[in-house]
Amino acid sequence: MAKAKASKEAKAAAKAARKEASRARRKQLWQAFQMQRKEDKLLLPLMIGSIVLLTGLAVLIGLLTGSLVFVLPLGIVLGVLIAFIIFGRRVQKTVFTKAEGQAGAAAWALDNMRGQWRVKQAVSGTTHLDAVHRVIGKPGVILVGEGSPHRVKTLLAQEKKKIARVVGDTPIYDVIVGNDEGQVPLKKLERHLNKLPNNINKARIDSLESRLAALGGKGPGAGMPKGPMPAGAKMRNIQRTARRR
């Protein structure tokens, strides 16, 4: 009896937690919509236009085929879906535009990637907030650098040499985030990594992660911000924190 009661209470608690999480997501989504709407004057016209266009197309097809009752709801649903896709894409574009060029932006982008990526932020770096981040995935090991290109190239070469002794014949890729020739723009970073060939399986990914964990990130890079530095942040204070670490 007591066990059944405990199980019932656990289910109720889980249900309440799901409701709260759902409410929090809706609130976050609404806040994101309000912020984007204020900054992006094309957002509402594009979203409304997609719904009107798809609905109008559905009405036309429904009248021509005599199946308006079935086609109209489908057109409305598709219009709403396209509107949400437009919203998501434009929010993402705004976020990346604001983050681009800020210290910690690449680390933030890597942490927010979809898929089975193992990300270790700032495995090496400088007090100028240049950093190299390590990513392990199906392509192998990817070293992602951000900051001053000439300093980052040196960091990448040092880190590549260090991990080559540990990973054996596992492919090692290096990427510098930026907008110059030979670099990868922040907004295209995830796409670039996803286009790399699949060279290793999950078991090997797990093994590599364990072996590389000992190398850690104990240098100045450990002081890197966890995300893009807000505009107007005092670089001197953050550099001082990096030196202490």
Side-chain angles (χ1 to χ4, degrees), residues 97-141:
T97 300
K98 288 183 176 182
E100 199 163 17
Q102 296 183 32
W108 164 79
L110 292 170
D111 265 354
N112 284 279
M113 289 194 304
R114 295 181 293 271
Q116 301 299 311
W117 301 99
R118 315 291 173 83
V119 178
K120 175 70 175 177
Q121 290 189 15
V123 291
S124 65
T126 70
T127 55
H128 297 284
L129 301 184
D130 311 293
V132 170
H133 314 292
R134 188 176 66 229
V135 182
I136 306 172
K138 289 183 178 179
V141 180

Side-chain angles (χ1 to χ4, degrees), residues 54-227:
L54 268 296
T55 302
L57 190 60
V59 169
L60 181 61
I61 294 172
L63 291 174
L64 291 173
T65 60
S67 55
L68 183 61
V69 175
F70 301 103
V71 179
L72 181 58
L74 180 61
I76 294 172
V77 170
L78 284 175
V80 171
L81 179 61
I82 296 298
F84 268 99
I85 291 173
I86 290 171
F87 166 62
R89 293 275 175 87
R90 294 186 78 83
V91 167
Q92 186 181 49
K93 182 180 178 182
T94 299
V95 169
F96 276 104
T97 300
K98 288 183 176 182
E100 199 163 17
Q102 296 183 32
W108 164 79
L110 292 170
D111 265 354
N112 284 279
M113 289 194 304
R114 295 181 293 271
Q116 301 299 311
W117 301 99
R118 315 291 173 83
V119 178
K120 175 70 175 177
Q121 290 189 15
V123 291
S124 65
T126 70
T127 55
H128 297 284
L129 301 184
D130 311 293
V132 170
H133 314 292
R134 188 176 66 229
V135 182
I136 306 172
K138 289 183 178 179
V141 180
I142 306 106
L143 299 175
V144 180
E146 63 173 321
S148 173
H150 72 276
R151 290 195 296 261
V152 167
K153 284 178 182 177
T154 302
L155 289 175
L156 284 170
Q158 291 171 349
E159 191 64 26
K160 199 170 186 177
K161 185 178 179 181
K162 183 169 68 173
I163 69 172
R165 298 192 296 266
V166 178
V167 302
D169 61 352
T170 302
I172 304 173
Y173 300 88
D174 57 80
V175 175
I176 296 179
V177 176
N179 295 311
D180 295 333
E181 188 177 351
Q183 299 177 350
V184 178
L186 182 67
K187 62 183 179 182
K188 294 183 179 179
L189 180 59
E190 182 175 359
R191 191 188 314 166
H192 178 83
L193 266 58
N194 281 321
K195 284 184 177 179
L196 294 175
N198 292 337
N199 298 311
I200 61 176
N201 57 26
K202 186 179 183 299
R204 195 163 173 185
I205 290 173
D206 292 338
S207 174
L208 282 170
E209 187 177 26
S210 299
R211 281 149 57 189
L212 289 171
L215 297 179
K218 299 179 181 179
M224 281 289 291
K226 296 297 183 183

Side-chain angles (χ1 to χ4, degrees), residues 1-13:
M1 190 76 175
K3 190 179 288 186
K5 185 179 179 182
S7 177
K8 191 174 180 180
E9 288 176 351
K11 286 181 180 179

